Amino acid sequence: MRSAILGTVLTVAAGLAVTAPPRAEAAVLVASCTATLSGSWSAPLDPGSTNAAQPETLQQSGPVGCFDDGGAPLVGGTMTRTTVLLAAQCTGIAYSDPSTTFITWSDGTVSTLSLGQAAVVTVLGNASTNGSGSMAPASAKFGGDAIDGAVMTTGPGCGTASGQTNVTSTVVFTLAR
């Protein structure tokens, strides 16, 4: 009798082990990337120091490099970013996404990024945006990987009569799957 009960318990336990739902796995860091982008607004931002919201388009491009968790280079290329904004301001609201962002890698292949804004902070007149998103699944490199990053943008002209025309952005992001 005891062996029959033990056999039944083992059979039930084995069945539970087979049907238990899989545990979610932690994301694995694939790469850390940095880019330095330069570009300009479609029209001067905040001419006359009014800080009035205005529609704008910001176009930027520059070198990007991605590294493994030990700091060894993985891949490099050129990041191109176009951001269309309905209500840009020098206070930092200007830097919200959505943007159209592409990376043309050194081997000629292309990856497309999708970014969403989490928060905008302005420190001493410089806007910083952090957010998350993903690489498009069909991207040549890092397809479908999750992105977590920040953008720090600087440029002269905000708060002046002529307004801001040119900006430089430092983009730092990680890729995980």
Side-chain angles (χ1 to χ4, degrees):
M1 172 81 167
R2 179 178 240 173
S3 62
I5 292 173
L6 183 58
T8 302
V9 169
L10 290 175
T11 302
V12 170
L16 290 175
V18 171
T19 60
R23 291 184 181 171
E25 292 183 29
V28 175
L29 178 68
V30 176
S32 296
C33 305
T34 59
T36 303
L37 308 178
S38 297
S40 60
W41 294 105
S42 56
L45 182 62
D46 191 24
S49 303
T50 63
N51 200 35
Q54 66 190 65
E56 280 282 6
T57 299
L58 176 61
Q59 294 185 309
Q60 296 179 290
S61 66
V64 61
C66 296
F67 306 86
D68 67 18
D69 62 355
L74 291 173
V75 66
T78 300
M79 180 182 276
T80 303
R81 179 179 165 142
T82 301
T83 307
V84 178
L85 303 156
L86 300 177
Q89 292 177 283
C90 277
T91 57
I93 303 304
Y95 303 100
S96 62
D97 272 327
S99 66
T100 303
T101 305
F102 301 96
I103 298 174
T104 302
W105 301 106
S106 56
D107 65 2
T109 60
V110 177
S111 293
T112 304
L113 291 76
S114 172
L115 302 170
Q117 175 182 309
V120 175
V121 179
T122 303
V123 179
L124 301 175
N126 296 323
S128 178
T129 304
N130 66 353
S132 59
S134 63
M135 286 284 194
S139 291
K141 294 182 182 11
F142 308 111
D145 287 353
I147 299 172
D148 188 27
V151 179
M152 175 69 173
T153 300
T154 60
C158 277
T160 67
S162 59
Q164 185 181 63
T165 56
N166 298 309
V167 294
T168 300
S169 298
T170 301
V171 182
V172 179
F173 59 98
T174 58
L175 295 157
R177 61 175 70 111

